[in-house]
Amino acid sequence: MHKRFALGIVSCGRSDLTQKTLQSLYHTDQFKDSYDLYIIDNGSDPSDAAELDEWVQSSIVPVKNLIRTSRLPIAPAWNLFLALTQDYAYRTKLDNDLIFANTPVAAKPFEKTTKGLPRPDYSPDNLGPNPGAPKVAGFTMGAGHSIKQKTDTHHTRFLEHVEDAILKSNLGICAIPTVSISRTLEQTMPILANKKWRGKAVLCGGCMTITKKTFDTLGYFDETLLAHIDWEYSQRAMFGGSGINCGYTPDYAVIHFGENSPTLPPDIFQKNEMEATMLASKLDFKRDFVPSKWQKVASKIIKSANKNTVINLQ
């Protein structure tokens, strides 16, 4: 039987940031038997690939599969994760430059730690204040939907924060808000709640959970887009006529540690953004299930994934 949550990370360069994300994941209070971790190694170089192998071999985070591919655009890379995890109740997309708030890796002594597995001396007791510790703020998102404040804001069982918001607020998609290093959660919430694209609200999905019911309705990320696939997906949910609520966890955040280290050079990133916005402007919000090229081969990959931890699709 599948665990309730599948957690996915696409690693595409920026190995130092991927290491921090995995270290932070290790240091959360989230029970390791509550989720399966899928890592998509999206065409990394041999040294980066070797570091990911260390994480698989260490077993200190619950890696279900490490899937190696040649370099893919962003949407097909994430769609591979969605295709392999269709039977999970929840699937969580976690960008490889995010740090969970209130974990030791987010504290100042570890800003220069770039490689390797967590050391035995990683302890919250001697790390000093956490610059990413969030402050509580309520917000309203999508179709006038409100999520209320909670009292227990300090634990790092991040999937519990997500599931609690989903169940209490009837969300089909729930994101943990992504906070800049220079801001607090309280400062970030109004920015996220008022963000617009194509003239409508969006959910910023750096750490985004999609329920099975939502996936069965909407399908995959749009593979014609080279950027903002989470924005388009959330708009399809909120404004496509399916009545799917989208929202953020109200009192827990992830820190955007890699905001100043983009995967692509600025000119290419801006070009992809412009092309994505232009293409999306022609897309109907009320589209039916969006397919992926992985649909036809997913069953074969899953069969292999059930036998092997490391899968090579190159």
Side-chain angles (χ1 to χ4, degrees):
M1 176 179 291
H2 284 292
K3 297 174 183 177
R4 292 179 62 76
F5 276 87
L7 179 63
I9 295 175
V10 172
S11 179
C12 180
R14 303 191 298 177
S15 171
D16 56 333
L17 295 173
T18 300
Q19 292 294 319
K20 283 181 178 290
T21 297
L22 289 169
Q23 290 166 2
S24 181
L25 176 62
Y26 166 78
H27 280 290
T28 65
D29 298 327
Q30 186 64 45
F31 298 113
K32 299 304 185 285
D33 61 356
S34 65
Y35 67 94
D36 287 324
L37 176 61
Y38 290 77
I39 301 175
I40 310 297
D41 179 1
N42 194 22
S44 63
D45 63 41
S47 63
D48 293 348
E51 290 179 349
L52 293 176
D53 284 336
E54 285 188 61
W55 282 93
V56 174
Q57 295 162 9
S58 72
S59 300
I60 62 174
V61 290
V63 178
K64 172 71 173 176
N65 289 117
L66 169 62
I67 302 100
R68 293 212 153 91
T69 70
S70 54
R71 186 63 63 91
L72 296 169
I74 184 171
W78 279 114
N79 281 344
L80 174 57
F81 165 65
L82 294 182
L84 297 180
T85 56
Q86 296 178 49
D87 292 334
Y88 287 84
Y90 305 108
R91 277 166 288 177
T92 300
K93 166 186 176 290
L94 176 64
D95 287 355
N96 73 323
D97 63 348
L98 301 180
I99 301 297
F100 294 99
N102 298 323
T103 59
V105 181
K108 287 184 178 179
F110 290 93
E111 288 181 0
K112 295 182 180 180
T113 299
T114 59
K115 305 275 185 184
L117 303 178
R119 301 192 306 267
D121 59 343
Y122 273 35
S123 170
D125 298 331
N126 57 15
L127 296 181
N130 183 334
K135 296 180 181 178
V136 179
F139 77 105
T140 300
M141 177 65 196
H145 185 74
S146 178
I147 294 182
K148 300 184 181 300
Q149 296 183 18
K150 289 174 51 180
T151 55
D152 182 10
T153 64
H154 295 99
H155 74 76
T156 59
R157 298 185 299 278
F158 62 99
L159 296 179
E160 288 188 18
H161 286 287
V162 169
E163 189 165 28
D164 187 64
I166 287 173
L167 296 178
K168 286 188 175 180
S169 303
N170 189 30
L171 301 180
I173 305 175
C174 179
I176 300 178
T178 301
V179 178
S180 169
I181 296 173
S182 62
R183 293 194 181 104
T184 64
L185 179 58
E186 185 177 30
Q187 294 168 336
T188 301
M189 282 301 201
I191 297 171
L192 294 176
N194 292 301
K195 196 169 187 65
K196 297 286 193 298
W197 190 55
R198 297 197 288 170
K200 294 184 180 294
V202 299
L203 189 79
C204 296
C207 184
M208 181 172 79
T209 296
I210 302 169
T211 67
K212 185 176 185 339
K213 182 178 179 181
T214 295
F215 173 78
D216 291 344
T217 301
L218 298 181
Y220 293 87
F221 294 116
D222 191 311
E223 294 181 356
T224 66
L225 302 181
L226 296 176
H228 300 324
I229 60 173
D230 51 336
W231 293 7
E232 189 278 332
Y233 200 86
S234 66
Q235 288 188 336
R236 226 189 304 159
M238 290 187 285
F239 309 111
S242 56
I244 298 173
N245 285 326
C246 297
Y248 296 97
T249 57
D251 47 26
Y252 188 67
V254 288
I255 302 157
H256 195 188
F257 227 70
E259 62 184 331
N260 296 320
S261 303
T263 304
L264 299 171
D267 57 333
I268 297 178
F269 181 76
Q270 292 174 5
K271 178 176 179 291
N272 288 351
E273 278 194 314
M274 291 177 60
E275 289 185 4
T277 301
M278 181 180 66
L279 284 170
S281 67
K282 302 175 183 178
L283 297 175
D284 187 355
F285 291 109
K286 298 182 179 181
R287 291 187 291 163
D288 295 328
F289 186 96
V290 172
S292 166
K293 67 177 185 178
W294 296 112
Q295 281 181 285
K296 294 182 179 179
V297 296
S299 60
K300 293 182 180 179
I301 301 175
I302 291 171
K303 185 177 180 180
S304 177
N306 288 335
K307 296 179 179 178
N308 307 284
T309 302
V310 180
I311 308 296
N312 192 337
L313 298 182
Q314 300 183 62

